[in-house]
Amino acid sequence: MEMKKLVGNVLLTVGLVAGAITAARIPPMWGGLAASLAVMGAGIFLRRQGAKEELHRAAQSGTGGVRELERLLTDALGRIERIMDAPREKAVEELTGILEELDEFAEKAQPLRIEGLMTYGTIMSVFSRGERALNRAWSAFADGYENEGRRYLRYSYDDLKETLSAVKALKV
Amino acid sequence: MADANWKVGEASWKRKDSDETYREVTPAAIILGVIWGAFMAASFTYAGMIMGFTSGGSAIAAIVGWGVLRGILKKGTVVENNIVQTIASAVNISVSGVIFTIPALYIMGLHQEINTTYFFLATAAGAILGITFIIPLRKQMIEIDRLRFPTGTAVATVLKTPGSGIEKARLLFLGMAVSAAVYLVQQFPVLGLPEIIPEYIDLGAILHLPEWVSLAMALSLMVFGMGLITGRNGLIVLAGGILSYYIITPIVKTLGWLPSDVTGGAISGFVYANMTRPLGIGMLLGGSIAGLILSMPVIIVALRSIANASKLGTGRNEELPIKYLYAGITLAFLLLLVTTYQLGNLGIGRSLLTALVGVAWIFVASLLVAMSTGMTDWSPVSGLSLVSVMILLYLTGKQVPLTILLGATVGVAISGAADMMQDLKTGHLVGGIPSRQQKVELLTAWIGPIIALTVVGLIWKAYGIGNEMVPAPQAMALKSMVDAILGGNVPVDKFIAGGILGFALSMSGIPGLGVLVGLSMYLPMLYILPYGLGCIVHEIAKRKKGNEFITEKVLPVAAGLMVGEAAMTLLFAVLTVMGVLHP
């Protein structure tokens, strides 16, 4: 763990423990609580700085940034294309795999928060719509409703493509 | 036209109608959901007033749904069954909001001061508000923040089991069987049989620790299963529990901050009741308010996305239009205003203020329970009720009947909000359409309070309430709260101190940290330990075997552990209602 974040975490924990103890007394020790909050404040500042730097590094190295997200989405889109006309059983099996892989998208999308919560929220909102469409396609195929399955497979394809475009646009 | 061919273990089921409209909101689903929900609501109302707890029942409803839709009607789909469990749990969930509050009025002999119509108006307002406030929170918590909602995840596993392959079905049934069997054996003393497995073990006594060290652990596979699904967030709850019970308690004792008559085993209970629990409640509130402020940009995105949903082509508008939110808030506000004005003699100005603050408080409380259940599955309803009663007593000029009635509104709203979020998480995982789930919930949630209120009235006439036969422990607790507040015995300073700490923690950059630590101080260690153990096993399994192992193996077992014990709880509730058991 990066040093700044580590020191921040330690200060945050120390401040919390001291703050909780001083606040637990009947009545609370307000002076002790204020001092503890100051320590927590320093910890929060360092922690946030460290976390931000860590996220920047992840974004640049591709371990959780735009490139990794592009790879996940492109792979999923390719796999969806291949099952557009596949038999129902094959579609269910493949969808299970795609959904498991896309489960990592949200975790790996965390660096997008650097771009601002609005950007992160917009991308996750479109992605999640596509993910839910994939889930519905899975259910419909598993239930034997092929038309519904293929319709939602198409919806999910469109939504994930839109997500990919939004992720690519972040590079500019 | 392709045949659908299901196989669950040895059983199989065939259907050949793939060209028809995908079954989702059907008369069968609605009728079954209402009937099963009403059955659970009546059972849990009575049993809850005797045993002191209730259950959501989503998972059991999902299993019953499969039994009826597939087993008897020979049709039914994953999303149709999602509608069944959504309705059933919506009808059932308001029970906890009612039985925690309304029986207190009977115990205090104040129930005749309120016309029956107002009972229904106030609780219906709660049911509507709880659901409508969830409209923007669904996008934020499920789609953007991706909270886990362990019960919702477990129910999705149950719904998807028939199509997930035999291996997953076997793991689910194995978990269910083990959990149900363990619970059954634990209940032997209630059945007049010798105790074989206790409900909890006192590790502190086994390790010869001082008696003030609270190290007892509930042997609940359901709670362990909740932890297994939760994972990392639950580790923060465990850490907070360790801080509360094994750091603060010894330090407070060493520093001599305890009254001299509190000694031995009473120390842990005193610190919990008078120090850490009120601090935890304050932290929960402070943490959730900070969360609300920090999430404002995401909530704006969520609202914008809902507003833009109608622009999606091909008739694919799957969001409940935002006008439902406004209409729901307005309707519930008017219901609260009428109730307060008619019952309180407060004048129009103060009635308006009470209704406004009531609606705003329900939003904050709904946000809090949704966050708590989303991150951990725990819902701090009793702590929130304490704060609700405190606020409402002040607003209503210490009018106890009106306060308790409005407390029921809040209770129904927040328990409904938490349940709706769990069901919407399930819906997301199976591909249900959220607007359909929300509409059926809006159409049916008001039924639950009517059933619960009717059963409470019948019990009052038959046996009385607050006696040996119907102890109504939750209502008795509320009565104690009201007495304490009227006597000026409220730890407001602890709430404020905790609120400041919780607010600061949530600014740390770790989402929901204030809420998680607050929850850990609020929950008894008895349940934190098995829950934390489940979280540890989840994390170890994830690191050693990867995410796929969690999805393929751990999740079905954990869902089974939760469902098995929940099913037995319902069975024992029904046996109690039938008079077979006398707990």
Side-chain angles (χ1 to χ4, degrees):
Chain A
M1 193 189 290
E2 197 260 338
M3 185 54 80
K4 217 182 255 183
K5 198 173 164 190
L6 180 68
V7 174
N9 278 338
V10 171
L11 287 176
L12 182 64
T13 309
V14 170
L16 169 65
V17 173
I21 291 168
T22 51
R25 202 188 70 157
I26 306 172
M29 290 171 68
W30 294 106
L33 180 61
S36 307
L37 283 169
V39 176
M40 279 175 80
I44 289 167
F45 177 76
L46 286 174
R47 204 196 169 280
R48 289 183 79 100
Q49 286 260 314
K52 210 168 178 180
E53 287 167 13
E54 202 174 280
L55 287 175
H56 265 297
R57 274 198 304 277
Q60 279 162 4
S61 67
T63 53
V66 170
R67 267 182 288 163
E68 174 65 5
L69 297 179
E70 272 184 38
R71 188 197 63 75
L72 271 172
L73 287 168
T74 310
D75 183 48
L77 285 165
R79 290 173 77 176
I80 292 171
E81 276 171 16
R82 285 197 290 277
I83 55 167
M84 284 288 187
D85 300 311
R88 189 179 61 83
E89 293 81 1
K90 170 84 179 151
V92 171
E93 195 187 321
E94 186 66 8
L95 275 173
T96 305
I98 296 170
L99 282 163
E100 273 172 16
E101 199 174 303
L102 283 178
D103 209 28
E104 292 177 43
F105 183 90
E107 202 173 320
K108 297 198 167 170
Q110 292 308 307
L112 298 186
R113 287 179 187 263
I114 297 169
E115 306 292 331
L117 273 178
M118 298 272 261
T119 308
Y120 172 76
T122 307
I123 288 175
M124 288 311 295
S125 194
V126 185
F127 168 76
S128 294
R129 197 174 66 213
E131 186 192 39
R132 186 163 51 77
L134 270 184
N135 281 323
R136 190 173 178 86
W138 185 97
S139 295
F141 279 127
D143 283 325
Y145 288 79
E146 294 210 20
N147 290 343
E148 182 81 357
R150 296 203 193 285
R151 177 160 56 245
Y152 271 84
L153 207 52
R154 170 59 62 184
Y155 287 158
S156 68
Y157 185 78
D158 292 344
D159 289 335
L160 294 182
K161 243 183 161 176
E162 194 181 330
T163 313
L164 182 60
S165 303
V167 169
K168 277 182 174 168
L170 286 173
K171 274 182 169 175
V172 184
Chain B
M1 202 180 286
D3 278 9
N5 189 359
W6 286 95
K7 286 184 181 166
V8 183
E10 298 302 314
S12 67
W13 174 87
K14 286 189 176 188
R15 190 185 52 73
K16 40 184 178 181
D17 54 358
S18 62
D19 284 340
E20 72 182 44
T21 307
Y22 193 31
R23 292 175 65 88
E24 192 164 9
V25 182
T26 60
I30 294 170
I31 293 166
L32 177 59
V34 170
I35 291 175
W36 185 251
F39 170 72
M40 288 197 296
S43 304
F44 277 124
T45 302
Y46 185 34
M49 286 173 68
I50 294 172
M51 299 189 286
F53 67 91
T54 61
S55 173
S58 289
I60 310 303
I63 290 172
V64 170
W66 278 139
V68 175
L69 296 175
R70 285 275 163 83
I72 297 171
L73 301 176
K74 306 289 178 199
K75 49 191 172 186
T77 67
V78 175
V79 290
E80 186 182 15
N81 202 4
N82 180 215
I83 293 293
V84 172
Q85 56 87 189
T86 297
I87 294 174
S89 66
V91 173
N92 173 53
I93 197 68
S94 53
V95 164
S96 56
V98 171
I99 68 166
F100 188 73
T101 51
I102 301 298
L105 280 177
Y106 286 86
I107 294 167
M108 290 187 242
L110 298 170
H111 60 286
Q112 282 169 333
E113 292 189 21
I114 296 174
N115 186 301
T116 312
T117 313
Y118 290 108
F119 281 127
F120 295 134
L121 280 182
T123 46
I128 294 167
L129 266 181
I131 298 164
T132 48
F133 277 146
I134 288 310
I135 295 171
L137 296 182
R138 184 194 80 80
K139 293 227 43 116
Q140 185 216 329
M141 292 185 184
I142 293 174
E143 296 199 344
I144 297 170
D145 287 345
R146 320 276 299 178
L147 300 187
R148 193 74 166 165
F149 290 99
T151 293
T153 305
V155 176
T157 306
V158 173
L159 290 177
K160 290 171 87 170
T161 296
S164 295
I166 290 173
E167 180 59 20
K168 269 191 182 174
R170 277 188 188 146
L171 290 172
L172 179 87
F173 290 127
L174 175 73
M176 276 173 69
V178 171
S179 176
V182 168
Y183 185 85
L184 183 66
V185 175
Q186 282 177 329
Q187 300 306 312
F188 272 9
V190 179
L191 301 166
L193 297 166
E195 181 181 275
I196 295 175
I197 304 176
E199 290 192 43
Y200 69 91
I201 48 165
D202 191 347
L203 293 169
I206 293 168
L207 297 169
H208 302 291
L209 296 173
E211 51 182 337
W212 54 266
V213 178
S214 175
L215 196 57
M217 182 168 90
L219 296 178
S220 167
L221 289 176
M222 180 167 76
V223 177
F224 177 73
M226 279 160 61
L228 263 185
I229 296 180
T230 307
R232 198 189 300 171
N233 273 340
L235 294 177
I236 300 176
V237 176
L238 182 62
I242 290 167
L243 164 69
S244 177
Y245 289 88
Y246 309 129
I247 296 177
I248 293 178
T249 304
I251 289 179
V252 161
K253 182 181 177 293
T254 307
L255 293 173
W257 288 355
L258 298 168
S260 55
D261 59 337
V262 178
T263 54
I267 289 175
S268 180
F270 181 87
V271 173
Y272 172 69
N274 298 288
M275 297 175 162
T276 51
R277 187 173 184 270
L279 258 186
I281 293 170
M283 276 191 187
L284 281 166
L285 289 169
S288 66
I289 290 168
L292 180 66
I293 294 168
L294 289 173
S295 301
M296 215 34 105
V298 180
I299 290 176
I300 292 168
V301 169
L303 286 169
R304 201 180 288 161
S305 161
I306 292 168
N308 289 339
S310 58
K311 292 174 191 163
L312 275 175
T314 61
R316 201 191 153 200
N317 181 10
E318 298 174 347
E319 303 289 347
L320 199 64
I322 204 74
K323 64 184 180 196
Y324 278 81
L325 173 65
Y326 303 138
I329 291 170
T330 309
L331 178 62
F333 170 75
L334 288 174
L335 289 173
L336 281 183
L337 178 64
V338 170
T339 307
T340 311
Y341 184 72
Q342 292 291 333
L343 293 179
N345 290 322
L346 296 172
I348 189 68
R350 195 152 177 181
S351 297
L352 268 170
L353 181 70
T354 305
L356 268 176
V357 173
V359 170
W361 167 245
I362 288 173
F363 178 68
V364 172
S366 300
L367 174 85
L368 207 169
V369 291
M371 275 172 81
S372 299
T373 50
M375 288 187 287
T376 66
D377 226 31
W378 297 108
S379 176
V381 172
S382 65
L384 287 177
S385 300
L386 169 62
V387 180
S388 306
V389 169
M390 199 176 75
I391 295 170
L392 291 166
L393 269 177
Y394 176 74
L395 282 170
T396 62
K398 297 193 175 173
Q399 292 191 38
V400 175
L402 180 59
T403 295
I404 291 181
L405 186 65
L406 295 179
T409 306
V410 177
V412 169
I414 58 179
S415 46
D419 171 70
M420 184 78 232
M421 287 297 278
Q422 297 275 16
D423 290 340
L424 287 167
K425 175 71 179 187
T426 306
H428 183 87
L429 293 173
V430 301
I433 292 177
S435 62
R436 292 181 187 167
Q437 274 184 280
Q438 287 165 320
K439 279 178 189 167
V440 293
E441 183 129 357
L442 274 172
L443 283 172
T444 54
W446 55 272
I447 298 170
I450 293 178
I451 292 168
L453 289 166
T454 308
V455 173
V456 169
L458 290 173
I459 291 172
W460 170 252
K461 279 183 187 157
Y463 310 110
I465 296 173
N467 51 35
E468 211 170 275
M469 203 156 177
V470 186
Q474 291 173 317
M476 291 299 277
L478 180 66
K479 182 183 174 296
S480 307
M481 272 183 209
V482 172
D483 292 341
I485 295 168
L486 290 175
N489 187 17
V490 182
V492 176
D493 54 0
K494 290 275 176 293
F495 290 160
I496 293 171
I500 296 168
L501 279 171
F503 192 94
L505 278 175
S506 281
M507 302 303 261
S508 64
I510 303 170
L513 184 61
V515 173
L516 288 171
V517 176
L519 205 56
S520 66
M521 295 194 141
Y522 167 84
L523 292 171
M525 205 62 194
L526 193 67
Y527 296 108
I528 290 180
L529 283 173
Y531 177 74
L533 196 62
C535 300
I536 292 171
V537 172
H538 174 110
E539 284 304 301
I540 292 172
K542 193 172 171 182
R543 283 185 191 185
K544 293 208 163 174
K545 303 266 187 177
N547 208 31
E548 195 183 329
F549 182 77
I550 296 289
T551 318
E552 294 292 318
K553 310 282 182 195
V554 175
L555 216 57
V557 173
L561 292 178
M562 290 176 73
V563 175
E565 193 172 318
M568 293 308 285
T569 309
L570 177 63
L571 177 67
F572 273 73
V574 173
L575 292 175
T576 305
V577 172
M578 290 166 67
V580 177
L581 295 178
H582 305 282

